[in-house]
């Protein structure tokens, strides 16, 4: 029997090809894995205003907004998947975003570049700068973000890839990601009605 999370994953998880979507025509600009996650906003694919609003809400969450309004971009049953977390409800996803202001002195989105726009999918490169509260050392991180949308335009699957490898949903790594997703809400305490 398939769990609700597995059904969401099977139906909505995008598996973008990082090399195809991001490799630079000048090979010297690519990493050793032939990907270039650094966004170039001037190359961004034009998208309709309602899609721009989705990206704005997502980048606001990355930047520490932790707002209920921005969280409404997600469907009630949605998945967030990155190297550290696997969350299978909007409430658990909120636990991740409500944690940003608690652990980061600042988090800023510097640039985005939409590289794919389909009826059910938006894929964009993003550059985010994180400054942890403890060490106050800023680090810029480039990533490839894919958002799979339902027919109401709500995010059903949010994947944040930090390198050229797609995620496995098996083994110890998956267990650790799921534990983080399942239990972070106990610390970050997002509003219960999300």
């Amino acid at each position: 029997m398939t769990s609700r999370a597995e059904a969401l994953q099977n139906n909505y998880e995008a598996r973008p090809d990082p090399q195809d979507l991001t490799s630079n025509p000048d090979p010297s600009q690519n990493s050793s894995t032939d990907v270039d996650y650094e966004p170039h906003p001037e190359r961004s694919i034009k998208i309709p205003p309602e899609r721009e609003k989705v990206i704005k809400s997502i980048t606001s969450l990355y930047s520490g907004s932790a707002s209920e309004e921005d969280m409404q971009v997600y469907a009630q049953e949605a998945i967030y998947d990155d190297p550290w977390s696997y969350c299978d409800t909007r409430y658990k996803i909120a636990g991740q975003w409500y944690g940003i202001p608690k652990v980061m002195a600042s988090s800023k989105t510097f640039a985005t570049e939409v590289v794919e726009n389909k009826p059910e999918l938006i894929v964009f490169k993003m550059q985010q700068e994180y400054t942890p509260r403890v060490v106050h050392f800023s680090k810029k991180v480039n990533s490839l973000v894919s958002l799979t949308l339902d027919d109401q335009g709500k995010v059903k699957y949010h994947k944040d890839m930090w390198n050229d490898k797609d995620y496995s949903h098996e083994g110890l790594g998956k267990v650790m990601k799921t534990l983080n997703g399942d239990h972070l809400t106990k610390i970050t305490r997002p509003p219960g009605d999300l």
Side-chain angles (χ1 to χ4, degrees):
M1 181 174 214
T2 303
S3 73
R4 181 187 49 77
E6 288 171 323
L8 282 170
Q9 181 178 309
N10 292 339
N11 291 327
Y12 293 100
E13 181 183 20
R15 294 199 175 271
D17 181 339
Q19 286 83 6
D20 183 48
L21 290 171
T22 70
S23 73
N24 196 305
D26 176 0
S28 70
Q29 298 297 311
N30 290 325
S31 70
S32 62
T33 58
D34 290 328
V35 297
D36 174 16
Y37 283 180
E38 183 175 345
H40 304 279
E42 70 280 1
R43 298 182 199 159
S44 192
I45 295 171
K46 294 288 183 206
I47 58 174
E50 64 273 7
R51 296 260 171 133
E52 289 177 7
K53 188 175 185 232
V54 169
I55 292 176
K56 174 68 176 131
S57 289
I58 295 293
T59 57
S60 292
L61 290 164
Y62 274 98
S63 295
S65 78
S67 80
E68 290 183 54
E69 181 181 346
D70 286 329
M71 282 302 305
Q72 296 306 314
V73 75
Y74 290 102
Q76 187 70 37
E77 291 188 357
I79 290 179
Y80 175 83
D81 190 6
D82 78 5
W84 297 101
S85 302
Y86 184 89
C87 307
D88 61 5
T89 67
R90 184 170 59 201
Y91 179 72
K92 291 177 186 178
I93 295 168
Q96 303 300 304
W97 298 127
Y98 279 69
I100 296 264
K102 294 183 185 310
V103 298
M104 297 294 164
S106 74
S107 178
K108 300 175 190 169
T109 304
F110 277 91
T112 61
E113 175 191 353
V114 177
V115 295
E116 187 169 21
N117 181 37
K118 294 180 177 177
E120 75 292 344
L121 180 67
I122 307 168
V123 181
F124 61 97
K125 297 179 188 180
M126 181 178 70
Q127 184 174 79
Q128 193 74 19
E129 181 182 78
Y130 298 99
T131 307
R133 288 194 179 280
V134 178
V135 293
H136 288 283
F137 171 78
S138 297
K139 171 77 172 151
K140 286 185 180 175
V141 176
N142 294 326
S143 62
L144 186 67
V145 177
S146 60
L147 305 173
T148 306
L149 309 175
D150 65 15
D151 52 359
Q152 276 81 46
K154 298 277 190 182
V155 176
K156 290 291 278 186
Y157 203 105
H158 177 162
K159 182 186 289 187
D160 186 350
M161 295 173 64
W162 297 357
N163 61 36
D164 65 307
K165 294 180 175 65
D166 203 350
Y167 302 136
S168 159
H169 297 293
E170 301 170 344
L172 185 59
K174 170 64 166 65
V175 170
M176 297 306 293
K177 287 172 49 161
T178 301
L179 284 172
N180 185 22
D182 286 351
H183 297 288
L184 194 60
T185 55
K186 295 171 187 166
I187 299 166
T188 61
R189 303 205 184 279
D193 59 352
L194 284 173

